[in-house]
Amino acid sequence: MWGLVPLFWPLLKPAGAVEILAHRMVWSLVFVGIALLALRRWSWIPELVRSPRKLALITVAAAVISVNWGLYIWSVNTGRVVEASLGYFINPLVTIALGVLVLKERLRPAQWAAVGVGFAAVLVLAIGYGQPPWISLVLASSFAIYGLVKKKLNLGGLESLAAETAVQFLPALGYLVWLGTQGTLAFGSEGAGHAALLVSTGIVTAVPLVCFGAAAIRVPLSTLGLLQYLAPTFQFLLGVLYFHEAMPPERWAGFSLVWLALTLLTWDALRTARRSRAAMAVASAEAVASVEAASIEAASAAPKVHQGR
């Protein structure tokens, strides 16, 4: 669904990117609120309200994801789908860099190599464009910061989206009201079908996130990480094959370097996961052997105690 969403945003024209963003914020809260009401998941709200730190993190998350959503919508509707897809391809590399800079995490050699190759890719693309690929960099950075804030917040996906859109709701609604007073609001002026599409931005936002949250507790993390590459892959293919965006040699070179970096990351993640499973299996076998040895020792000692008596 995330990979095919570039097909959806152009349907909302002539609404501008900011108006679409505002509708996305307003209607997302409506649909997430309905979902929470149906699931009766309200117990987290009092705890959140009593925590100034969590409220501050929610506000930061809402601001950062607003930048990400708005820029992505604008990119798609101005013919920059390929560049937007690059942002989500390099997002894992930016996330790793943030882990080093902010969380002081230590990288394995393969991860360092992947970050280095990703940096080279950005340089190649910057030279090709004549300027840094700012759309890709802002999308990748904003989503990486969003992930970092969510990590510190430690709130469920549906609950987090509800809290974030609650922060966004009043400014977004105020902007839509202001557009209405100016006579430039697209909602309702392009027919019922167009209005229904704008309302459905809430569904388009909430449903993939709910599915992701459900998958996260059912699918191994290594598999989930690989599946997340599908979204930018679909976006890239749509940009090239459906929207017919240009792919000059320097862009192919930059993308190839990014894919090489992601291949290194994937290989390293799978290798680390296999080693972890092997280590756990060895530890489990040693624990079983230890228990069996203790049982045998206890059994052999029991007759001696009986004879002593």
Side-chain angles (χ1 to χ4, degrees), residues 26-308:
V26 168
W27 298 112
S28 291
L29 180 61
V30 172
F31 284 104
V32 171
I34 293 171
L36 289 173
L37 184 62
L39 296 171
R40 298 182 179 180
R41 282 161 56 176
W42 301 103
S43 59
W44 55 275
I45 295 178
E47 181 185 351
L48 177 63
V49 172
R50 289 194 297 266
S51 174
R53 177 181 174 274
K54 286 191 173 183
L55 287 174
L57 288 173
I58 283 289
T59 303
V60 172
V64 172
I65 202 62
S66 297
V67 172
N68 184 274
W69 285 356
L71 181 58
Y72 184 75
I73 294 167
W74 177 83
S75 301
V76 171
N77 283 359
T78 54
R80 294 172 171 85
V81 176
V82 169
E83 194 172 348
S85 74
L86 176 64
Y88 294 103
F89 274 125
I90 65 175
N91 171 250
L93 302 172
V94 178
T95 299
I96 288 174
L98 278 179
V100 174
L101 296 173
V102 179
L103 302 179
K104 308 302 179 184
E105 295 177 352
R106 298 181 63 181
L107 299 187
R108 296 182 292 273
Q111 292 176 312
W112 277 116
V115 172
V117 173
F119 183 72
V122 172
L123 287 179
V124 169
L125 290 165
I127 293 170
Y129 285 127
Q131 61 179 6
W134 67 271
I135 292 175
S136 307
L137 293 173
V138 173
L139 286 174
S141 301
S142 58
F143 203 71
I145 294 170
Y146 178 69
L148 178 64
V149 174
K150 297 266 279 190
K151 181 180 178 68
K152 291 183 175 294
L153 187 61
N154 193 26
L155 195 63
L158 196 61
E159 292 85 351
S160 180
L161 181 62
E164 291 156 21
T165 50
V167 172
Q168 297 166 335
F169 181 80
L170 287 179
L173 184 63
Y175 178 74
L176 293 175
V177 170
W178 178 79
L179 286 180
T181 61
Q182 301 298 307
T184 56
L185 184 69
F187 185 80
S189 63
E190 300 294 323
H194 184 263
L197 285 173
L198 286 170
V199 171
S200 66
T201 54
I203 300 175
V204 169
T205 300
V207 171
L209 188 66
V210 172
C211 290
F212 178 79
I217 60 175
R218 292 171 173 82
V219 180
L221 193 60
S222 57
T223 304
L224 197 67
L226 291 174
L227 288 173
Q228 288 189 76
Y229 293 140
L230 287 176
T233 299
F234 276 122
Q235 293 165 13
F236 173 79
L237 292 174
L238 283 173
V240 174
L241 301 177
Y242 182 79
F243 293 105
H244 304 292
E245 294 184 18
M247 282 295 294
E250 60 271 16
R251 182 176 274 192
W252 278 114
F255 267 86
S256 298
L257 286 172
V258 169
W259 293 330
L260 173 60
L262 294 179
T263 301
L264 287 171
L265 278 184
T266 302
W267 169 78
D268 180 69
L270 293 175
R271 183 184 63 168
T272 303
R274 280 196 299 268
R275 287 180 175 178
S276 298
R277 285 195 297 267
M280 290 176 64
V282 169
S284 178
E286 289 176 348
V288 170
S290 177
V291 171
E292 289 178 349
S295 299
I296 292 170
E297 184 179 349
S300 61
K304 294 179 182 178
V305 173
H306 179 71
Q307 290 172 1

